Structures are given as structure tokens and as C-alpha cells.
Amino acid sequence: MICKNCHHEFEGNFCSHCGQKASVRRLDFKYLVRDVPNSVFQLNRGFFFTAKEILVRPGQAVRNFVAGQRQPYYKPIAFLIVVSTIYILIHYFVGGYTLVEDFLLGVESGATAQEEISDTAFAKWLTKYQLYVPLMVLPFFSVASYLAFIKSRYNYVEHLVLNVYITAQQFMIFMVFAFITRNNSDWVVIPFLIGIAYVFWTYIQFFDDKKLIRKIALILLTYVYFFIFTTVTIFAVGIIIGLLQ
């Protein structure tokens, strides 16, 4: 048997060279749920290697993980949990503006007495839970990317894993800029733009079976789908929260 991780020939249930399981299933929801409790506190098992790989060659790294080379990588959901937790702690201790805060401050300063937009129930809810917004939109963005790249060989869970790793790296970018935007909201849009550029870079590497122009067009289509999904969802959530309050 040939190991999918290191390509070493071996016999038995585990590779004698790298230790990966002989049977590597395609990614599904059972895999995501099963591996979270077993890996979230094991930072010595691939966490820093994964952080380096998704920084240097993100699309290739995620493609390797999806293809079965999983032994050296930190599991996606666990990786996102650890990184987002660190970011949330840094944000609350260091401070710094976020794009959501800057937007709502602008809305508040520009609102008239008849248009108290920032005082709406949804605006208050968004302000309170703004740090969790990237986590909440992950399923929607993954649906959007799956539909845009529907002709690719990847299923929805594999798209979700791709976007989980991307979101984790975006949190790392936000960590760095949390110190820069501490006392200056003028810089708040920069990490947001870098995060979008990172999505393009990762997708271009990940989907290696398409021409560059086509990949860029499909990424833009992903954002169009995502905008439609989130607009409808935000509108519905705003109505529900307003009715409940």
C-alpha cells in the first residue's frame, strides 16, 4: 500500500514512515465533528506547520490536505477555533477598530433624527457579536463557492474546509492589524482588503485545473452568490430580532 501523505510503501493500518492511517476517507461532516475534540489542544501536532503552510502556499496546502496528506496538518475546525480564540483575546485586550465598528460609527454619525439606523435591534446585535461574523458567514460563503465551482471535483465539505483554513489565516491578518488600528480607524479597511486578496490567491492555487481568467471569474461569481445569500439572511434575521424585541 502507498501512503497518501508521504508516498512510502507499507503494510498494516498505519504508515511505518509518517504514521498516517492507511484508510483515508474523503472529507465529510463526520470527519469534521470527530476530529475537533481530538486535536484542539494538541498544538504540538502540526499547528505551527499548518500556520506556515497556509501563509506561504495556502491553496497547495489545502489541496494536499483534501487529497489525503493529512498527517502533518492541524485539523481545520480545531485550527480555526484556536486562531479565532487568540484573535478575540487580542482584540479585547489590545482594542483596535474593526471594519464593522467603523461602518456602524459612520452610520451613527450620518443618521438623522428620523433615521436612527444604528439604534436598530440588528445593528446592536451586529456590534455585540461582530467578532464572530466571519465564523457565522463561513457556511454561506462555502455554499457560494461550491455553487460557483460546481463543475470542480470537490464536494461541499471540501469547500468548507478550504474556507475554514482561509478564515483562520484572515484572523491572523486581523491580529497583526489589531495593534495598528488600535488608535486609528483609517487603517481598518486594509486588513479587509488583504483578506479578500488572500481569498483570490488561495483559490487560484487550490483550483489548479482551470485557466487563470476563468478562476478569477468564478471567484467573483462566488462573491456575487455570497452577497445575495447574506443580504437575504441579514434581512430575515433583522426582521426576526425586531419582532422578538
Side-chain angles (χ1 to χ4, degrees), residues 99-138:
L99 190 64
V100 175
E101 284 174 325
D102 196 54
F103 171 75
L104 291 177
L105 285 173
V107 170
E108 183 177 9
S109 62
T112 65
Q114 291 78 26
E115 299 176 354
E116 293 295 336
I117 301 175
S118 61
D119 289 334
T120 63
F122 180 70
K124 292 179 180 178
W125 179 88
L126 187 61
T127 304
K128 183 177 180 180
Y129 297 105
Q130 60 181 296
L131 297 180
Y132 304 99
V133 170
L135 304 178
M136 291 185 286
V137 303
L138 254 175

Short mmCIF file of all heavy atoms in Angstrom, two decimals, residues 99-138:
data_model
loop_
_atom_site.label_atom_id
_atom_site.label_comp_id
_atom_site.label_asym_id
_atom_site.label_seq_id
_atom_site.Cartn_x
_atom_site.Cartn_y
_atom_site.Cartn_z
N LEU A 99 -13.74 46.62 10.95
CA LEU A 99 -14.49 47.21 9.84
C LEU A 99 -15.95 47.41 10.22
O LEU A 99 -16.57 48.41 9.85
CB LEU A 99 -14.39 46.31 8.61
CG LEU A 99 -14.92 46.90 7.30
CD1 LEU A 99 -14.08 48.11 6.89
CD2 LEU A 99 -14.93 45.86 6.19
N VAL A 100 -16.52 46.47 10.98
CA VAL A 100 -17.92 46.58 11.40
C VAL A 100 -18.11 47.78 12.31
O VAL A 100 -19.06 48.56 12.15
CB VAL A 100 -18.38 45.29 12.11
CG1 VAL A 100 -19.80 45.46 12.67
CG2 VAL A 100 -18.33 44.11 11.15
N GLU A 101 -17.19 47.96 13.26
CA GLU A 101 -17.28 49.11 14.17
C GLU A 101 -17.18 50.42 13.39
O GLU A 101 -17.94 51.36 13.64
CB GLU A 101 -16.14 49.04 15.20
CG GLU A 101 -16.37 48.03 16.30
CD GLU A 101 -15.14 47.92 17.20
OE1 GLU A 101 -14.03 48.04 16.69
OE2 GLU A 101 -15.32 47.71 18.40
N ASP A 102 -16.24 50.49 12.47
CA ASP A 102 -16.04 51.71 11.71
C ASP A 102 -17.29 52.02 10.86
O ASP A 102 -17.70 53.18 10.77
CB ASP A 102 -14.83 51.56 10.80
CG ASP A 102 -14.33 52.90 10.27
OD1 ASP A 102 -14.08 53.79 11.09
OD2 ASP A 102 -14.23 53.04 9.05
N PHE A 103 -17.89 51.01 10.29
CA PHE A 103 -19.08 51.19 9.48
C PHE A 103 -20.24 51.70 10.34
O PHE A 103 -20.93 52.67 9.97
CB PHE A 103 -19.47 49.87 8.81
CG PHE A 103 -20.81 49.91 8.14
CD1 PHE A 103 -20.98 50.56 6.93
CD2 PHE A 103 -21.90 49.30 8.73
CE1 PHE A 103 -22.22 50.59 6.31
CE2 PHE A 103 -23.14 49.33 8.11
CZ PHE A 103 -23.30 49.97 6.91
N LEU A 104 -20.43 51.09 11.49
CA LEU A 104 -21.55 51.49 12.35
C LEU A 104 -21.35 52.88 12.93
O LEU A 104 -22.31 53.62 13.13
CB LEU A 104 -21.75 50.46 13.47
CG LEU A 104 -22.26 49.08 13.01
CD1 LEU A 104 -22.34 48.13 14.18
CD2 LEU A 104 -23.62 49.22 12.33
N LEU A 105 -20.10 53.24 13.21
CA LEU A 105 -19.82 54.60 13.69
C LEU A 105 -20.15 55.62 12.61
O LEU A 105 -20.70 56.70 12.89
CB LEU A 105 -18.35 54.73 14.10
CG LEU A 105 -17.96 54.08 15.43
CD1 LEU A 105 -16.45 54.13 15.62
CD2 LEU A 105 -18.67 54.77 16.60
N GLY A 106 -19.83 55.28 11.36
CA GLY A 106 -20.16 56.17 10.26
C GLY A 106 -21.66 56.30 10.06
O GLY A 106 -22.18 57.39 9.81
N VAL A 107 -22.36 55.19 10.20
CA VAL A 107 -23.82 55.22 10.08
C VAL A 107 -24.42 56.07 11.18
O VAL A 107 -25.32 56.89 10.96
CB VAL A 107 -24.39 53.78 10.15
CG1 VAL A 107 -25.91 53.81 10.28
CG2 VAL A 107 -23.99 53.00 8.91
N GLU A 108 -23.89 55.90 12.40
CA GLU A 108 -24.42 56.65 13.54
C GLU A 108 -24.20 58.15 13.36
O GLU A 108 -25.09 58.97 13.63
CB GLU A 108 -23.76 56.18 14.83
CG GLU A 108 -24.32 56.85 16.07
CD GLU A 108 -23.69 56.30 17.33
OE1 GLU A 108 -22.72 55.53 17.22
OE2 GLU A 108 -24.18 56.64 18.41
N SER A 109 -23.02 58.54 12.90
CA SER A 109 -22.73 59.96 12.75
C SER A 109 -23.52 60.59 11.62
O SER A 109 -23.79 61.79 11.63
CB SER A 109 -21.22 60.16 12.51
OG SER A 109 -20.85 59.54 11.30
N GLY A 110 -23.90 59.77 10.63
CA GLY A 110 -24.63 60.31 9.49
C GLY A 110 -26.13 60.17 9.59
O GLY A 110 -26.86 60.68 8.75
N ALA A 111 -26.62 59.49 10.61
CA ALA A 111 -28.06 59.27 10.74
C ALA A 111 -28.77 60.54 11.21
O ALA A 111 -28.25 61.31 12.01
CB ALA A 111 -28.32 58.13 11.72
N THR A 112 -29.96 60.74 10.72
CA THR A 112 -30.78 61.86 11.17
C THR A 112 -31.67 61.40 12.30
O THR A 112 -31.68 60.24 12.68
CB THR A 112 -31.66 62.36 10.01
OG1 THR A 112 -32.58 61.33 9.65
CG2 THR A 112 -30.81 62.73 8.81
N ALA A 113 -32.41 62.36 12.86
CA ALA A 113 -33.31 62.03 13.98
C ALA A 113 -34.37 61.02 13.55
O ALA A 113 -34.84 60.23 14.35
CB ALA A 113 -33.99 63.30 14.49
N GLN A 114 -34.74 61.07 12.26
CA GLN A 114 -35.76 60.14 11.77
C GLN A 114 -35.15 58.82 11.30
O GLN A 114 -35.87 57.86 11.06
CB GLN A 114 -36.53 60.77 10.59
CG GLN A 114 -37.41 61.95 10.97
CD GLN A 114 -36.59 63.22 11.17
OE1 GLN A 114 -35.52 63.36 10.58
NE2 GLN A 114 -37.08 64.13 12.00
N GLU A 115 -33.82 58.77 11.20
CA GLU A 115 -33.17 57.57 10.67
C GLU A 115 -32.15 57.05 11.67
O GLU A 115 -30.95 57.10 11.43
CB GLU A 115 -32.48 57.88 9.34
CG GLU A 115 -33.45 58.35 8.27
CD GLU A 115 -32.70 58.74 7.00
OE1 GLU A 115 -31.66 58.76 6.93
OE2 GLU A 115 -33.11 59.02 6.05
N GLU A 116 -32.61 56.61 12.78
CA GLU A 116 -31.72 56.10 13.82
C GLU A 116 -31.33 54.66 13.47
O GLU A 116 -31.68 53.72 14.16
CB GLU A 116 -32.40 56.17 15.19
CG GLU A 116 -32.65 57.57 15.68
CD GLU A 116 -31.34 58.32 15.92
OE1 GLU A 116 -30.31 57.65 16.15
OE2 GLU A 116 -31.33 59.55 15.87
N ILE A 117 -30.56 54.52 12.40
CA ILE A 117 -30.21 53.19 11.91
C ILE A 117 -29.37 52.43 12.93
O ILE A 117 -29.55 51.24 13.14
CB ILE A 117 -29.44 53.31 10.58
CG1 ILE A 117 -30.31 54.05 9.57
CG2 ILE A 117 -29.06 51.94 10.05
CD1 ILE A 117 -29.59 54.31 8.25
N SER A 118 -28.43 53.12 13.55
CA SER A 118 -27.52 52.45 14.47
C SER A 118 -28.21 52.00 15.74
O SER A 118 -27.65 51.24 16.50
CB SER A 118 -26.35 53.38 14.82
OG SER A 118 -26.83 54.54 15.46
N ASP A 119 -29.43 52.47 15.99
CA ASP A 119 -30.15 52.06 17.17
C ASP A 119 -31.09 50.90 16.91
O ASP A 119 -31.83 50.48 17.80
CB ASP A 119 -30.97 53.24 17.72
CG ASP A 119 -30.06 54.30 18.33
OD1 ASP A 119 -28.95 53.92 18.77
OD2 ASP A 119 -30.44 55.48 18.35
N THR A 120 -31.09 50.38 15.71
CA THR A 120 -31.95 49.25 15.41
C THR A 120 -31.46 48.01 16.14
O THR A 120 -30.28 47.90 16.51
CB THR A 120 -31.98 48.96 13.90
OG1 THR A 120 -30.66 48.61 13.48
CG2 THR A 120 -32.49 50.17 13.13
N ALA A 121 -32.36 47.07 16.32
CA ALA A 121 -32.02 45.86 17.06
C ALA A 121 -30.90 45.09 16.36
O ALA A 121 -29.99 44.57 17.00
CB ALA A 121 -33.26 44.98 17.20
N PHE A 122 -30.96 45.05 15.02
CA PHE A 122 -29.95 44.28 14.31
C PHE A 122 -28.58 44.94 14.40
O PHE A 122 -27.56 44.25 14.52
CB PHE A 122 -30.34 44.11 12.84
CG PHE A 122 -29.34 43.32 12.06
CD1 PHE A 122 -29.19 41.97 12.27
CD2 PHE A 122 -28.53 43.95 11.12
CE1 PHE A 122 -28.26 41.23 11.56
CE2 PHE A 122 -27.60 43.21 10.40
CZ PHE A 122 -27.47 41.86 10.62
N ALA A 123 -28.52 46.28 14.34
CA ALA A 123 -27.24 46.97 14.45
C ALA A 123 -26.60 46.72 15.81
O ALA A 123 -25.39 46.51 15.92
CB ALA A 123 -27.43 48.47 14.22
N LYS A 124 -27.42 46.74 16.86
CA LYS A 124 -26.90 46.46 18.20
C LYS A 124 -26.38 45.02 18.29
O LYS A 124 -25.34 44.76 18.89
CB LYS A 124 -27.99 46.70 19.24
CG LYS A 124 -28.39 48.17 19.39
CD LYS A 124 -29.49 48.33 20.42
CE LYS A 124 -29.89 49.80 20.57
NZ LYS A 124 -31.00 49.98 21.54
N TRP A 125 -27.14 44.11 17.71
CA TRP A 125 -26.73 42.70 17.72
C TRP A 125 -25.43 42.52 16.95
O TRP A 125 -24.53 41.81 17.39
CB TRP A 125 -27.84 41.85 17.11
CG TRP A 125 -27.53 40.40 17.04
CD1 TRP A 125 -27.76 39.45 17.99
CD2 TRP A 125 -26.92 39.70 15.94
NE1 TRP A 125 -27.33 38.22 17.55
CE2 TRP A 125 -26.82 38.35 16.30
CE3 TRP A 125 -26.47 40.12 14.67
CZ2 TRP A 125 -26.27 37.39 15.46
CZ3 TRP A 125 -25.92 39.16 13.83
CH2 TRP A 125 -25.83 37.82 14.23
N LEU A 126 -25.32 43.19 15.80
CA LEU A 126 -24.12 43.08 14.97
C LEU A 126 -22.90 43.65 15.68
O LEU A 126 -21.81 43.08 15.61
CB LEU A 126 -24.34 43.81 13.65
CG LEU A 126 -23.26 43.66 12.58
CD1 LEU A 126 -23.11 42.20 12.18
CD2 LEU A 126 -23.59 44.50 11.36
N THR A 127 -23.09 44.76 16.40
CA THR A 127 -21.99 45.36 17.15
C THR A 127 -21.51 44.42 18.25
O THR A 127 -20.31 44.25 18.48
CB THR A 127 -22.42 46.70 17.77
OG1 THR A 127 -22.89 47.56 16.73
CG2 THR A 127 -21.26 47.37 18.48
N LYS A 128 -22.44 43.78 18.94
CA LYS A 128 -22.12 42.91 20.07
C LYS A 128 -21.37 41.66 19.62
O LYS A 128 -20.43 41.20 20.28
CB LYS A 128 -23.40 42.53 20.81
CG LYS A 128 -23.17 41.67 22.05
CD LYS A 128 -24.48 41.40 22.77
CE LYS A 128 -24.24 40.56 24.01
NZ LYS A 128 -25.52 40.28 24.74
N TYR A 129 -21.78 41.10 18.48
CA TYR A 129 -21.21 39.83 18.03
C TYR A 129 -20.35 39.97 16.78
O TYR A 129 -20.16 39.00 16.04
CB TYR A 129 -22.34 38.83 17.77
CG TYR A 129 -23.14 38.50 19.00
CD1 TYR A 129 -24.41 39.01 19.19
CD2 TYR A 129 -22.61 37.65 19.99
CE1 TYR A 129 -25.15 38.71 20.32
CE2 TYR A 129 -23.34 37.35 21.13
CZ TYR A 129 -24.61 37.88 21.29
OH TYR A 129 -25.34 37.59 22.42
N GLN A 130 -19.81 41.17 16.54
CA GLN A 130 -19.07 41.42 15.31
C GLN A 130 -17.86 40.52 15.12
O GLN A 130 -17.51 40.15 13.99
CB GLN A 130 -18.63 42.87 15.26
CG GLN A 130 -17.71 43.23 16.43
CD GLN A 130 -17.28 44.66 16.40
OE1 GLN A 130 -16.61 45.07 15.47
NE2 GLN A 130 -17.68 45.43 17.37
N LEU A 131 -17.20 40.13 16.20
CA LEU A 131 -16.01 39.31 16.09
C LEU A 131 -16.34 37.90 15.62
O LEU A 131 -15.45 37.17 15.16
CB LEU A 131 -15.28 39.26 17.43
CG LEU A 131 -14.74 40.59 17.94
CD1 LEU A 131 -14.03 40.42 19.27
CD2 LEU A 131 -13.80 41.22 16.93
N TYR A 132 -17.60 37.52 15.74
CA TYR A 132 -18.00 36.18 15.33
C TYR A 132 -18.59 36.15 13.93
O TYR A 132 -18.95 35.09 13.43
CB TYR A 132 -19.01 35.61 16.33
CG TYR A 132 -18.49 35.59 17.75
CD1 TYR A 132 -18.84 36.59 18.65
CD2 TYR A 132 -17.63 34.58 18.19
CE1 TYR A 132 -18.35 36.59 19.95
CE2 TYR A 132 -17.13 34.58 19.48
CZ TYR A 132 -17.49 35.58 20.36
OH TYR A 132 -17.01 35.59 21.63
N VAL A 133 -18.69 37.33 13.31
CA VAL A 133 -19.29 37.41 11.97
C VAL A 133 -18.56 36.52 10.96
O VAL A 133 -19.20 35.79 10.20
CB VAL A 133 -19.34 38.87 11.48
CG1 VAL A 133 -19.72 38.94 10.01
CG2 VAL A 133 -20.35 39.67 12.30
N PRO A 134 -17.20 36.53 10.91
CA PRO A 134 -16.51 35.65 9.94
C PRO A 134 -16.86 34.18 10.13
O PRO A 134 -16.94 33.43 9.15
CB PRO A 134 -15.02 35.90 10.22
CG PRO A 134 -14.99 37.27 10.80
CD PRO A 134 -16.24 37.39 11.63
N LEU A 135 -17.07 33.75 11.39
CA LEU A 135 -17.42 32.36 11.65
C LEU A 135 -18.84 32.06 11.20
O LEU A 135 -19.12 30.97 10.66
CB LEU A 135 -17.29 32.05 13.15
CG LEU A 135 -15.93 32.34 13.79
CD1 LEU A 135 -15.97 32.02 15.28
CD2 LEU A 135 -14.84 31.52 13.11
N MET A 136 -19.74 33.04 11.37
CA MET A 136 -21.14 32.82 11.03
C MET A 136 -21.37 32.79 9.53
O MET A 136 -22.30 32.14 9.06
CB MET A 136 -22.00 33.89 11.70
CG MET A 136 -22.07 33.76 13.21
SD MET A 136 -23.22 34.95 13.98
CE MET A 136 -22.29 36.46 13.84
N VAL A 137 -20.54 33.50 8.78
CA VAL A 137 -20.76 33.56 7.33
C VAL A 137 -20.05 32.43 6.59
O VAL A 137 -20.27 32.25 5.39
CB VAL A 137 -20.29 34.91 6.75
CG1 VAL A 137 -21.00 36.06 7.42
CG2 VAL A 137 -18.78 35.09 6.85
N LEU A 138 -19.23 31.65 7.29
CA LEU A 138 -18.49 30.56 6.66
C LEU A 138 -19.39 29.59 5.87
O LEU A 138 -19.09 29.29 4.71
CB LEU A 138 -17.71 29.77 7.71
CG LEU A 138 -16.20 29.98 7.75
CD1 LEU A 138 -15.59 29.22 8.91
CD2 LEU A 138 -15.57 29.53 6.45
#
